[in-house]
Amino acid sequence: MIETTGTVLSQKKKLPTLAAPAAGVQGMAAPKPTPSVSTLTAPGVGNGGANYNTGDQAMKLQIAQNQARISGDAGYKDNEISRALQVIQNRQAQGLDTSAQQKYLTTNLGYKAPGAAPATANTAVASATSANPQMTNTQQGMDLLSQMRAIANREQTPFSYDPNADPLYQAALKRAQANIDSGNSATQAELNRRGILNSTITSDRMAELAAQEMGRVETDVMPSLMQQAYQQYMDNEALKQQQFGNLGALAQSYLGEDQRQFGNRVTEGELTGNYMPEGAQNAINAILQLKQQAETKGITAAERAKLSAQADGYRAQLLSMGIDPAAYASGVNYNTARTNNAGIRTLGGQAMDLNNKQANLNAAGAYMDATGRVVTPQSDWSGLARQAANPNAPLTLAGQNQAFNQGQQQWQNNFALEQFAYQKARDAVADSQWSQQFNQNATQFGLNYALQQLQQQDDSAYRNAMLSINQDENSRAWLGLQNAPAAEYNGMNANQVLSALQSQYIDPTTEKYAPPKDAATREQIYQQVAAYGLPPGQDDQVMLSMGLTAKEIQDFDKKYIQPTTGTGAAAAGK
């Protein structure tokens, strides 16, 4: 007799006669441990199920025993439900048929998915671990952990064996009783043949045969059946433990899948600079599909409005995730929307954007330093050269200073040349009666005006003055300036000159331009404007904008410009 930790229920009502154990009764085979229905569809992909109608006697007996355990053992039933769900999931993953397992799950075990309608034989179980197919991996993992917690807290069912409830034991008793009846008939016939009718010998012989048959059932068959039941109990416990571990592994797999997907999104964000939250791509794909439908030829305005309303819901989802949905607005067509690189800009992406902007700014700065023109930073650096080549592009501060210095230098050069020419002409007419008048005209109106007046007053003196000028190289250079055609203007425009000059006279209190009031500064403004060499008329406009009066401009013109030509002969080049 084996020792167990469980309880063996003794037979409550014994037959009046006992027969031999089943192993020795008229060729009856010794009982062997047989697999339960559970082992026929063990975790994995199972073996396709068992059919009571087509199974042999042993299979039918196993199915009956299994169904009895399902009805009487809640823990075993829950364990079978978990095992069946796992088998269904594994078979679905491999594309195998699950109709037998689903029937066993819904019909034999009475399983109903939470929140779902009662399943029928023709209803597939959509998910082996979750009643809600929209559950995230984390939710499914937590659901499995909850199942594991319930299993771990479940009260352990000890082993027990009730021979009265064992169909195999009852079958052995019936076989023993049949053997006893057959033996008694044979014994009585033998004694009758020998002339021994009902007697003590007959009773003793029949009682001995009954005791022998039933004794073998009690001493051989029942321990074997008890050992088989104990082994099945241990197999079920091991199966429960295995399924418990399988639930743990599956839960870990679900929880790890969400973590893996999150890690993939983080890695992608590090590479591209854009982080795509979970579910954002699905919302974008849905919007793009709706845009395709809305752009289908022949669609009505009402249908398009309905599709746009559906897309608004997905755009709201993107906004809640921190993604600007403007790139997928209703006014953006499908072809444009699908090229957008949506997502939340990562810190790495922001740093990359800043570096690109800084590089564009540096490239624009290099062009501004080289050309003196203001250019706008852009990603296509070839456009910077086109901007700098535009004559209407504003000058930088350095460019303004360079233009001013060049104009001032030219003015000084012209003034020096005129002084050389004036000295030669003055010396040539020193003995003329017009010498004093010539000097006065040259001082007040410039050398060119003085020469013109001298030509009218004394042609001989005029020729002497021009001859003296021509004999000196520097003086001849001044004559070349008088005869050279006016060059095409290619400097700053009036607004650029005005802006450049006003920036030099900012009132620190108001931080705005304030026209200077002292005469020296106002005359300096006149000279600065004239030095830029603006086309006629534009210089007067800039001077007036700088606060000079028309009378001041006229007085400065008389002082610095020959009045008959209006060209810059003497000084400023206005």
Side-chain angles (χ1 to χ4, degrees):
M1 180 70 71
I2 62 173
E3 296 181 358
T4 69
T5 58
T7 304
V8 178
L9 301 179
S10 60
Q11 187 178 4
K12 296 180 180 179
K13 181 179 181 180
K14 294 185 178 180
L15 297 176
T17 56
L18 299 177
V25 179
Q26 294 186 356
M28 180 179 178
K32 298 180 181 180
T34 57
S36 67
V37 173
S38 299
T39 61
L40 293 176
T41 55
V45 297
N47 296 317
N51 192 317
Y52 184 87
N53 296 325
T54 59
D56 55 19
Q57 189 63 31
M59 177 59 69
K60 291 181 178 180
L61 181 59
Q62 294 169 35
I63 293 176
Q65 289 178 324
N66 186 70
Q67 196 61 38
R69 291 198 64 186
I70 291 173
S71 301
D73 189 341
Y76 176 75
K77 179 179 178 181
D78 292 342
N79 184 62
E80 279 294 278
I81 289 175
S82 297
R83 184 189 62 80
L85 288 171
Q86 187 174 351
V87 170
I88 290 173
Q89 184 187 34
N90 294 341
R91 292 180 68 87
Q92 286 178 336
Q94 300 185 27
L96 300 176
D97 178 60
T98 60
S99 57
Q101 287 75 17
Q102 291 168 4
K103 183 176 181 180
Y104 176 65
L105 178 67
T106 57
T107 303
N108 296 64
L109 296 174
Y111 175 78
K112 296 180 181 179
T120 65
N122 296 326
T123 303
V125 178
S127 172
T129 58
S130 172
N132 182 6
Q134 299 300 323
M135 288 175 65
T136 65
N137 291 318
T138 299
Q139 290 172 327
Q140 295 188 48
M142 296 304 296
D143 182 64
L144 290 173
L145 290 178
S146 298
Q147 295 182 34
M148 294 177 65
R149 190 178 298 108
I151 293 174
N153 295 333
R154 186 181 298 151
E155 184 178 355
Q156 185 71 21
T157 303
F159 171 74
S160 63
Y161 178 70
D162 182 6
N164 293 320
D166 188 350
L168 294 178
Y169 179 77
Q170 296 302 321
L173 287 179
K174 291 180 180 179
R175 177 60 63 183
Q177 185 61 51
N179 290 341
I180 292 172
D181 293 342
S182 177
N184 287 342
S185 298
T187 298
Q188 191 171 11
E190 176 61 23
L191 293 177
N192 289 338
R193 185 184 62 78
R194 294 167 54 186
I196 303 174
L197 301 178
N198 292 336
S199 64
T200 303
I201 296 176
T202 302
S203 298
D204 292 343
R205 182 65 182 272
M206 295 174 66
E208 181 182 357
L209 180 61
Q212 182 180 6
E213 290 292 329
M214 191 55 70
R216 289 181 180 180
V217 170
E218 292 293 329
T219 58
D220 294 339
V221 175
M222 191 177 75
S224 177
L225 294 177
M226 182 178 179
Q227 177 63 36
Q228 178 180 340
Y230 180 73
Q231 185 60 48
Q232 185 174 358
Y233 170 81
M234 294 303 295
D235 290 345
N236 288 336
E237 291 299 314
L239 180 59
K240 291 179 181 179
Q241 190 62 33
Q242 178 184 353
Q243 292 173 340
F244 187 81
N246 292 341
L247 287 176
L250 192 58
Q252 186 63 34
S253 175
Y254 277 119
L255 296 175
E257 178 63 19
D258 271 358
Q259 184 61 37
R260 184 185 67 82
Q261 293 179 3
F262 175 75
N264 290 343
R265 292 195 297 272
V266 170
T267 302
E268 182 180 358
E270 292 174 349
L271 294 175
T272 64
N274 284 335
Y275 172 72
M276 184 69 73
E278 182 180 2
Q281 190 59 55
N282 292 336
I284 291 174
N285 292 339
I287 293 174
L288 293 177
Q289 291 177 359
L290 291 170
K291 284 185 175 294
Q292 278 186 307
Q293 297 177 35
E295 295 174 11
T296 302
K297 185 177 180 180
I299 191 171
T300 65
E303 292 172 336
R304 186 178 295 107
K306 183 177 181 181
L307 294 173
S308 180
Q310 295 179 27
D312 286 341
Y314 292 109
R315 283 188 278 265
Q317 291 182 21
L318 292 179
L319 186 62
S320 67
M321 297 176 188
I323 298 177
D324 185 4
Y328 304 95
S330 58
V332 180
N333 62 39
Y334 168 78
N335 289 329
T336 302
R338 69 186 181 91
T339 59
N340 291 319
N341 186 19
I344 301 174
R345 205 67 175 146
T346 64
L347 293 178
Q350 295 175 22
M352 182 169 58
D353 294 341
L354 181 60
N355 292 337
N356 289 337
K357 290 180 179 178
Q358 188 62 46
N360 294 337
L361 182 61
N362 292 340
Y367 271 90
M368 288 191 288
D369 292 340
T371 64
R373 297 280 181 178
V374 176
V375 297
T376 303
Q378 60 183 79
S379 57
D380 179 11
W381 291 0
S382 64
L384 299 176
R386 293 189 294 271
Q387 290 189 53
N390 183 1
N392 295 323
L395 292 176
T396 63
L397 181 60
Q400 294 173 18
N401 291 334
Q402 182 182 11
F404 176 78
N405 292 334
Q406 288 176 347
Q408 190 69 23
Q409 184 64 43
Q410 184 64 41
W411 177 85
Q412 292 174 356
N413 292 340
N414 293 343
F415 182 77
L417 293 176
E418 184 176 358
Q419 289 301 307
F420 282 120
Y422 168 70
Q423 292 173 6
K424 293 298 180 181
R426 181 194 62 189
D427 294 341
V429 299
D431 297 332
S432 172
Q433 62 175 333
W434 303 105
S435 176
Q436 184 178 359
Q437 183 67 37
F438 173 80
N439 291 334
Q440 184 179 356
N441 288 336
T443 302
Q444 187 173 3
F445 301 113
L447 178 59
N448 193 33
Y449 177 78
L451 288 172
Q452 289 178 356
Q453 292 299 314
L454 181 62
Q455 183 181 19
Q456 294 176 7
Q457 295 166 350
D458 189 343
D459 185 65
S460 177
Y462 170 75
R463 287 195 300 270
N464 289 335
M466 293 301 295
L467 179 61
S468 178
I469 291 174
N470 280 296
Q471 288 176 347
D472 182 78
E473 182 178 355
N474 291 327
S475 299
R476 285 198 306 272
W478 176 80
L479 289 176
L481 291 176
Q482 306 311 304
N483 298 324
E488 181 180 356
Y489 180 74
N490 191 28
M492 297 172 62
N493 60 39
N495 287 333
Q496 293 171 339
V497 172
L498 179 63
S499 177
L501 292 178
Q502 284 184 342
S503 65
Q504 300 177 27
Y505 302 96
I506 299 298
D507 187 340
T509 303
T510 62
E511 296 184 353
K512 295 181 179 180
Y513 170 72
K517 296 182 179 180
D518 61 289
T521 304
R522 296 172 75 83
E523 184 172 357
Q524 179 182 349
I525 290 176
Y526 173 88
Q527 293 176 339
Q528 287 178 309
V529 174
Y532 281 102
L534 290 169
Q538 294 187 18
D539 51 359
D540 289 345
Q541 295 177 5
V542 174
M543 293 176 187
L544 291 171
S545 299
M546 291 293 292
L548 301 184
T549 65
K551 185 175 184 308
E552 286 178 314
I553 297 173
Q554 185 178 8
D555 291 341
F556 290 140
D557 285 344
K558 291 179 180 179
K559 180 176 181 180
Y560 292 105
I561 301 176
Q562 189 272 354
T564 60
T565 61
T567 60
K574 179 173 179 285

